[in-house]
Each structure stands twice: as C-alpha cells, then as structure tokens.
Amino acid sequence: METVDLARLQFALTAGAHFLFVALTLGLATLVAVLQTRATLTRSPLHLRMTRFWGQLYIINYAMGIVTGLVMEFQFGMSWSGLTHFAGNVFGAALAIETLVAFFIESTFLGLWIFGWDRLNRWAHLALIWVVTLTAYASAFWILIANGFLQNPVGHRVVDGVLQLTDFGALTANPASLVAFGHILSGAMVVGGFFMAGVSAYHLRRRTHEQEFFRKSLRIGIALALPATLVTATFGGLGFDTMQPTKAAAWSGSADELAQVQADMVARFGPGDYLPPVELVRTAGIVMMLLFVIMFVVAAASFLLMLFRPAVRGLRIWHWLLTAMIPIPFVTMLAGWIFREVGRQPWVVYGLLTTQDAMSHVSPLEMRVSLIAFSAVFGLLIVINYWLLARHAKRGPDAVALGSRPVETPAPALTF
C-alpha cells in the first residue's frame, strides 16, 4: 500500500471513530435537555432521575469524544499539511470557530451543569444544559461548513497558489454544508433515540424494578427516532442534488455515465484518473439505504407497539429486537460517511486540490508507525467507551453519581 493510501486509511479510521462519539453526543444532549425541561416545569421526580441517568451516559460519551477529537486534530496537522497550506485560509476559519465553540463554550457550560446540581437555581441549571446542547449543534454546523467547502468550494479565489476567502456569506450558505448539517443532525437524533430505546428495552426484558422509569424512556426514544428517520431521509434525498458528478456516476454504476464524466474531467483538468472507487462508493450507499429501511420499519412498528402498555412491559421479543438495534444507526452513519467522503476522491478540495498533493512529506515508515499508533489509541478509546456506557447503563438509575448530594463530612468529635 502506498503512503498516500496509508494516510487516507489513517484519516478514515480516526474521523470515522470520532464521528461515532459525536453522533451519540448530539442525540443524547437533546434528549437530556428535553427531559430536564419537563422535570423543571412539572417538578417531576421521575423525570429528574431520568435526566440524571441519561445525563451521566451523555457525559461519559462526551468525554471520550473530546479525547478522540484532540487525537484527530494531531493527525490532521501531521499528514495533511498540503491541504492546510493551500486551503487553510478558507476552511481553517470554520475549524477555528468550531474549536472555540466546542472547547470553550460547550465544555465550560457542561462543567457548570455537572457541578451545578443542587447548587444553582433550577432555571439557571436548565439554561446550562440548553446552552450545552445548542453549542453542540453549533459545533457540528461549523464542522460541516468546513467539510461542505471541501465538497463544493465556494466564496474563494486563488492568489499566489493558495486560496483566499472572498465571500463569507457564500461559505456559510453553501448548499453542500446546510443539507449535510440537517442530515447529520437528524441522523444523530436517530442514534440517540434508538440508544435510549435499546437500553430501556434491556431493563424491561430483565424485569428490573425500574419498570416505570424505562417504560417512559423507551417511549421517548421511539417518539424521537421515528420522526428523525423521516427528516434524515428528506435531507438525504436533498443531498443527492448537491453531489459531485463523479460521485453521482459512481452511485449509478452506469459504464456510459462513468466514461462521460471521466472524459469531461480530463478535458477540464488534463490527463488522469478522476473516478472514485466505484464499488466502495456503491456498497456504502446501498448499506446506508438498506439499514435506513430497517430502522424505519422497526421505529414505525415500535411506535404502534408502545401505545399498548402490556406490550411495553412484557413483549420480550420486541425488547430483544430494540436492544439489538442499538449499533445499527452507528453503522448506518459510518456507511453514509464513507459514501460522502470516498465519493469525492481523488480530490480533497473538489476540482482544486488532489489527495496526493494535499499530503505532507512523510516517509512510509513514519506513516506506518503513526497509523498503528492512532489505530491502537482509537481502538482502546472505543473499547473503554463501550465498557463504561454498558457498565453504567446496566447498573440503572440507582447507581447514578451525577447530581447526587455530597456526603456530609462528620465533624470531628472531641475525645478529651
């Protein structure tokens, strides 16, 4: 395998792994904010316990996501200095805003929310989780502004061999970014909804004593997942209108269309192979579509079943199915991500900079060592995250530490 292929594999592994944490973070943050809003308005002890339980799972996933994001930034700078040099003046601004939003605003307010239980006014505490949720949305928005520019470069000009931003409005209104933002955000709601429903189904199947707690949680998860699948499909359909010609030809698989697009690209850019890996793009797209159909059918059937209390409490085969569905939205999002990113190859900035030219001057040995190191780190983080989430999810709401009152330190007794 050539060095550029190793670099692409490294980016795919790190970005794909980080993407999994981001999707669950966005979905769970929304659910926790809604639960705390209900608890604050109604003073419901049950919804307050639900906020604490699902909030603790959210925090575990968020912490791991931050770590993977830091590692990804490091590999980005090490392997893709050509991209930074050529287009950093344009898409670097969006990445910088995302970093400020994620690391300073979101993290700060999340810290206040974690340590503000029983110390802040309940309305102020509610406002904190909504700030955290909205800044998570803003972080995703600016990442997709940067990614949308790579897919469909707008609002720029080339000066002395590098890009300069000329129209910030065009950059932020890029259809390739806005459609993807709607698609990703609604997809994250599908992830969060199926996660909540799956964990709840596990406890209902095991007949734990928290039946009312997880019956309500299962309904909330399904009530979010079903409409979110429809919104995701809508934005996904709109996304086909913003695809590059080469990706559209790869998706169709038509030999005539592929030949025509290749000829057009040669006429425009000179000799070369401008087609993405056709089979990989088609396979990723088909997997994404099939899994979406499965999720829609399960969510629609679950929506009907949850209307009947006996089914929610006792239909174990349904509980098994919902628990088994937890990883499906993650796999679907990864397939969609491969379809989106691989489909624009061999370009990093479509029509302006190839992957080969975007690479840093890294030796094959250095690239292999870094690939092994990054793979090991990300693999370890994924295993730890899965173990922590599963451990705390199985323990149930009685074992939640978030928001629990600190143990009063006894005053020392005089012994004389």
Side-chain angles (χ1 to χ4, degrees):
M1 189 177 283
E2 296 184 2
T3 306
V4 66
D5 296 321
L6 293 173
R8 288 175 58 187
L9 178 61
Q10 184 186 77
F11 180 81
L13 291 175
T14 54
H18 180 60
F19 192 41
L20 298 178
F21 293 97
V22 172
L24 185 57
T25 293
L26 287 171
L28 278 183
T30 306
L31 286 163
V32 171
V34 170
L35 286 171
Q36 186 166 355
T37 302
R38 176 71 181 275
T40 305
L41 290 173
T42 64
R43 293 182 179 273
S44 163
L46 177 62
H47 285 88
L48 192 59
R49 292 182 71 224
M50 292 167 71
T51 304
R52 291 175 51 215
F53 175 72
W54 296 109
Q56 181 158 299
L57 297 180
Y58 159 71
I59 291 169
I60 293 170
N61 189 72
Y62 177 86
M64 290 297 172
I66 288 290
V67 176
T68 57
L70 292 172
V71 177
M72 186 179 164
E73 293 284 344
F74 180 73
Q75 75 85 30
F76 202 84
M78 186 191 79
S79 302
W80 305 104
S81 60
L83 171 63
T84 305
H85 173 74
F86 178 71
N89 293 332
V90 180
F91 85 101
L95 289 180
I97 295 173
E98 188 276 336
T99 302
L100 289 173
V101 169
F103 284 91
F104 289 93
I105 302 177
E106 186 180 358
S107 299
T108 300
F109 280 86
L110 179 59
L112 291 172
W113 184 74
I114 293 171
F115 295 104
W117 284 88
D118 300 323
R119 294 181 175 87
L120 295 174
N121 174 281
R122 62 192 177 101
W123 295 103
H125 195 246
L126 174 65
L128 291 176
I129 191 61
W130 275 110
V131 172
V132 170
T133 303
L134 294 177
T135 49
Y137 294 172
S139 177
F141 173 79
W142 286 109
I143 280 290
L144 288 167
I145 289 295
N147 181 267
F149 177 79
L150 303 181
Q151 305 279 342
N152 177 40
V154 293
H156 66 86
R157 63 177 179 178
V158 180
V159 179
D160 296 331
V162 298
L163 294 181
Q164 289 189 353
L165 181 63
T166 58
D167 190 343
F168 187 74
L171 181 71
T172 54
N174 190 347
S177 302
L178 299 183
V179 171
F181 176 65
H183 190 56
I184 295 296
L185 192 58
S186 53
M189 301 305 138
V190 177
V191 173
F194 270 105
F195 180 82
M196 178 176 280
V199 172
S200 302
Y202 169 83
H203 282 274
L204 292 170
R205 177 173 58 81
R206 297 291 298 270
R207 300 290 191 266
T208 58
H209 67 281
E210 297 282 359
Q211 292 290 298
E212 184 68 9
F213 183 101
F214 287 109
R215 185 178 63 81
K216 286 185 178 295
S217 294
L218 184 146
R219 285 179 165 172
I220 292 171
I222 293 298
L224 175 66
L226 178 59
T229 54
L230 299 176
V231 176
T232 304
T234 301
F235 277 104
L238 294 173
F240 276 82
D241 293 333
T242 65
M243 284 200 312
Q244 304 90 354
T246 49
K247 188 192 299 182
W251 169 245
S252 72
S254 166
D256 292 340
E257 191 172 341
L258 285 165
Q260 182 61 52
V261 169
Q262 168 66 14
D264 292 343
M265 298 295 278
V266 169
R268 184 179 171 187
F269 299 106
D273 181 6
Y274 296 99
L275 297 179
V278 175
E279 289 305 318
L280 181 57
V281 173
R282 278 179 57 79
T283 302
I286 291 171
V287 169
M288 177 181 66
M289 297 285 191
L290 287 176
L291 293 181
F292 166 77
V293 172
I294 292 172
M295 288 190 298
F296 175 73
V297 170
V298 172
S302 298
F303 191 85
L304 294 176
L305 286 171
M306 78 178 193
L307 300 177
F308 303 95
R309 184 183 292 256
V312 178
R313 288 186 179 277
L315 192 54
R316 284 191 167 181
I317 189 171
W318 179 37
H319 298 156
W320 273 107
L321 177 62
L322 287 178
T323 306
M325 285 293 295
I326 291 176
I328 299 300
F330 291 100
V331 178
T332 309
M333 293 200 83
L334 274 183
W337 179 79
I338 292 171
F339 178 73
R340 178 177 175 84
E341 296 302 299
V342 176
R344 76 166 185 270
Q345 292 298 317
W347 302 102
V348 170
V349 185
Y350 194 76
L352 297 175
L353 181 69
T354 64
T355 305
Q356 182 74 48
D357 294 333
M359 249 201 78
S360 305
H361 298 292
V362 181
S363 70
L365 177 61
E366 291 171 334
M367 184 55 65
R368 282 178 171 78
V369 170
S370 65
L371 175 61
I372 294 171
F374 283 124
S375 300
V377 170
F378 272 78
L380 180 63
L381 290 174
I382 289 174
V383 170
I384 291 174
N385 190 53
Y386 170 80
W387 177 73
L388 287 174
L389 285 176
R391 182 167 178 260
H392 285 83
K394 287 179 179 178
R395 285 181 170 182
D398 285 345
V400 171
L402 175 66
S404 59
R405 291 181 181 277
V407 177
E408 297 292 340
T409 304
L414 298 177
T415 57
F416 59 88

